[in-house]
Every structure is written in structure tokens, then in C-alpha cells.
Amino acid sequence: MIRLTYLFHSGFVLETDHCVLVFDYWMDPAQKMERFIGPQSQKPIYVFVSHFHEDHFTKEIFTWKATTPDITYILSKDILKHHRACKEDADVWMTKGMVWNDSHIQVTATGSNDSGVSWIIETAGYRIFHAGDLCNWFARFLAEGTPEGKVYSEECDQWIDPVAEEKQFLGELKDIKKIADSFDVVMFPIDGRIGNGYTLGARQFIERFKVGLLVPMHFVMSGFDSAWRMEPFCQEKNIPFWCIRNEGDSITLADHLVIRQTAPEDLPRLKEIFAIARKFMSETGNPGQWDENYPGDQLLREDMDNGDSYVIQKGNTIVATFVLRGGTDPTYNVIYDGQWLNDEPYAVIHRVASSGEVKGVIRVVLDFARRQYRNIRVDTHADNKVMQHLMQKEGFRYCGVIHCWNGTERLAYQYVQ
């Protein structure tokens, strides 16, 4: 399982069970790096910078080494060439074609048609691609009709040959494909400032590679929703696309499934899944846990607004949903015929529902929760034998009986790591 967090522009943090990767850090409005940088850091950290441009590189990253016990800087050599850093600042300087590895990661520097490099990184059984500034940057001239010779680009304040530029971009893709033809995660520029045809570079990428998840980047000046224009092209190829909505948003990959926060447009599919789940409960001897109106639209929207609602996708299809919430749950304040394992802060899991298209959903949900919280509480109906069996199998201990807001009883379980 890996977790990817959007920082800003082309900056991301990718966390595995064994290490943390930081890509093209520039700014961190949501202050997500505080969790990883400092003496509390418990995993090796690898800091990647694809090139010297100021929206991809800042010397601030070098201040982290003073407080962080295990940090490695892997930088494109063009940063050194442009005198933005000193040779001793980086542990590894890389140019196109170079390969570096240690016990946690293998890194291959691939090309760019702008500055620096792009990255292929293999870690924790996943293959990751970060494009840096690799893109079809002059697509708008091609979209307006194939030009003859050079045209003037106001954005770059220079004359360029769009056909030659595209040829170079496609040549870089060809070189990358010699190394790998599939990626679990691809971070790629979807920059509306390019103008008409700004999704062309990403479209050309997914036409040539098998992609498990496409993540937009480099869109900060044109807005979050501008990047979402790429989603329909991904849907045509059944490639999950991450519609990033805010700095600090995260997404998780587990066993070829994508876990992300629920979006308002997911509501119709959630209602379908809950209908399927209610039918399954009824057929397996648990007709009373959820009535035909549970959960209502208002409750589902509250879960979304609070940022506690998640969906699990296989390809572009939502196959399950659940709520994971940290903080006190009033229904757990009083427990009968037993006691909680402790009184420490905890998280709760609610409203787990599956379409039945993927097996082992509850294990995926629990793994997702256990990677974020060490103390978790869950409840289920006395007739829900399936859930009770799974809780015990996954290391949850039965603690007693609690009462829901409407007075109905539930069996309560707790997991302590």
C-alpha cells in the first residue's frame, strides 16, 4: 500500500511502509511536510528534484538535513550546471540514463524536452513516474493546425518549431518505453496555460504506456478544475484519474485498487452500493442493521463535507465506500456488559459497503485505517455474523455493547496496535 499526497504545483510526497519520497518541493500550503521532516521522522526520506526551475526547486529543502536523521538528496545535474546548488548539497547527481539504487528504491533518470530529467522509481513493488517538465508544451500551435516552420511563442518570448518540439517530446517517450512500458502511478503536467490542446501531452503518454493511476500536476496557475479536463480521456482507457481538489489531498493505492476521498459526483454510485449492501445483509440473516433509507443523502453529504468519506475504485468503477473518522464518537461514550481496551484517542470506521465486485474489501479498509491510526473502534449489528467474523480474524477484540443514536444495540470491537 502506498499513499500519495499533493503538496503544490508539481510537488508530492509518496509514502510506503519503508520510506518516503518527496518530489519537486516548492511550497507546502497545507503544511503536510511537518509530519515527515524533523527528529520525529522514522523512515528514510528521499528528496527528488527534476530540474533547476524555481517552481520545482528551492534551497529550503537543504535545511531539512539539519533535523532529519535519514535523508538523501537525489537531484538533476542541471541544478549544479546552473549554479543553483553546490556539489556537496546532493548525495546523488543524475542525468538522463543514470541508474541509482539502495535497499529501498531504484531510480532511473529519464529525459525531458525542457530542462533536467524525469524520474522512474521502483519501490515497495510499485513503479512510479514523475515527469518533471516533460510535456508537449507547444500543443496549442498543433491544435490550431500544423504550422510550417517556426512560430512566435509569447509565453516563452521566442520563436519555436512546434513540429520539431513535439518530435523531441515523443522521442523522449520512446526512450522511456525502452526502459518500462507500464507504471502504477504517473504524475504528469496538465497545464491550462499551454492553451488549446493542453491535455495532448498526457493523452500521448497514456496512448503509449499502461498506467494504473494518472495524477495531474503543474496546473496551479490554471486552477484545479482545469486539470480535470483530462479525466474523460482516462475514462476511455479505464485509467483512474485523480481529481485533486485541494493542497494536502491524499490518495492511496492498495492491491491495484485506488482509495480516495468521496466527491459530490460520487453520490449516485454510493446510493447504488448501499442498496446492494442492504440486499446482501438481508440475504445473509441481517435484515435489521440498515433500513431502506439508511444512510440518507444528508448523512452522506455530511461525511463528505467533513472529509471522512472514502471510496475504493477498481479502474474507473467505484466498488466500495466507507467512513474513517478520527475523534470522539458520542455513541461510544457509554459501553455495557464490558469495557473499552483503553481511553486513548481513537478513530472509528463506519458505513462499510461493497458492490461485491471485489473480494477482501474489509481487509483493504482495515489496512488503510491501521496505517493512520493505532487505536480503532468499530461496531456492528448482532445479526451481522459476517462482520463479526472478520473483526475477530483481523485482530479486533470484542469489548461490549453500545447504543446507537436511535437506541438500537450494536456489538463493539476495538483494535490496538
Side-chain angles (χ1 to χ4, degrees), residues 197-363:
Y198 68 90
T199 61
L200 180 59
R203 284 185 279 136
Q204 290 169 323
F205 192 96
I206 65 174
E207 286 170 359
R208 288 162 173 77
F209 298 89
K210 182 179 179 182
V211 176
L213 171 68
L214 186 69
V215 179
M217 67 180 194
H218 213 288
F219 54 78
V220 68
M221 297 301 292
S222 52
F224 289 95
D225 54 351
S226 69
W228 304 345
R229 288 283 299 276
M230 187 62 199
E231 184 178 26
F233 300 106
C234 289
Q235 289 178 338
E236 291 177 3
K237 294 183 174 295
N238 199 32
I239 297 172
F241 178 82
W242 186 15
C243 289
I244 303 173
R245 297 170 186 274
N246 299 285
E247 290 90 1
D249 281 358
S250 294
I251 196 167
T252 299
L253 273 72
D255 299 330
H256 304 292
L257 301 172
V258 172
I259 306 174
R260 61 169 175 82
Q261 286 186 308
T262 308
E265 57 267 26
D266 299 326
L267 184 58
R269 177 57 178 166
L270 261 61
K271 294 169 75 172
E272 291 177 0
I273 289 176
F274 280 112
I276 294 169
R278 287 193 296 266
K279 185 174 183 293
F280 175 79
M281 285 181 179
S282 180
E283 292 173 348
T284 54
N286 180 27
Q289 181 165 341
W290 292 347
D291 64 38
E292 61 181 9
N293 297 315
Y294 182 89
D297 287 7
Q298 181 177 347
L299 182 56
L300 293 176
R301 292 187 184 279
E302 287 177 359
D303 290 339
M304 292 183 210
D305 292 343
N306 292 331
D308 301 326
S309 177
Y310 295 85
V311 296
I312 301 176
Q313 284 184 213
K314 182 178 182 181
N316 276 311
T317 302
I318 296 174
V319 297
T321 181
F322 63 97
V323 168
L324 176 63
R325 178 181 298 128
T328 302
D329 189 318
T331 60
Y332 292 163
N333 287 346
V334 179
I335 187 168
Y336 302 90
D337 301 326
Q339 63 182 15
W340 296 112
L341 301 180
N342 59 47
D343 294 324
E344 297 174 6
Y346 60 89
V348 297
I349 300 172
H350 287 314
R351 293 183 273 289
V352 181
S354 169
S355 65
E357 297 169 68
V358 173
K359 294 182 178 180
V361 162
I362 187 63
R363 181 173 291 108

Side-chain angles (χ1 to χ4, degrees), residues 99-167:
V99 178
W100 181 87
N101 66 77
D102 68 1
S103 60
H104 296 295
I105 64 173
Q106 175 168 304
V107 183
T108 303
T110 46
S112 174
N113 59 326
D114 193 341
S115 295
V117 300
S118 50
W119 303 110
I120 297 175
I121 295 140
E122 297 187 54
T123 183
Y126 291 85
R127 184 182 291 140
I128 314 299
F129 182 76
H130 187 284
D133 260 3
L134 174 69
C135 192
N136 195 335
W137 292 111
F138 302 101
R140 74 177 178 90
F141 296 108
L142 302 171
E144 294 166 1
T146 304
E148 295 182 4
K150 294 187 176 182
V151 297
Y152 181 71
S153 169
E154 295 180 356
E155 296 84 0
C156 298
D157 191 25
Q158 64 182 358
W159 290 88
I160 55 98
D161 184 338
V163 174
E165 294 286 346
E166 181 179 55
K167 186 176 181 180

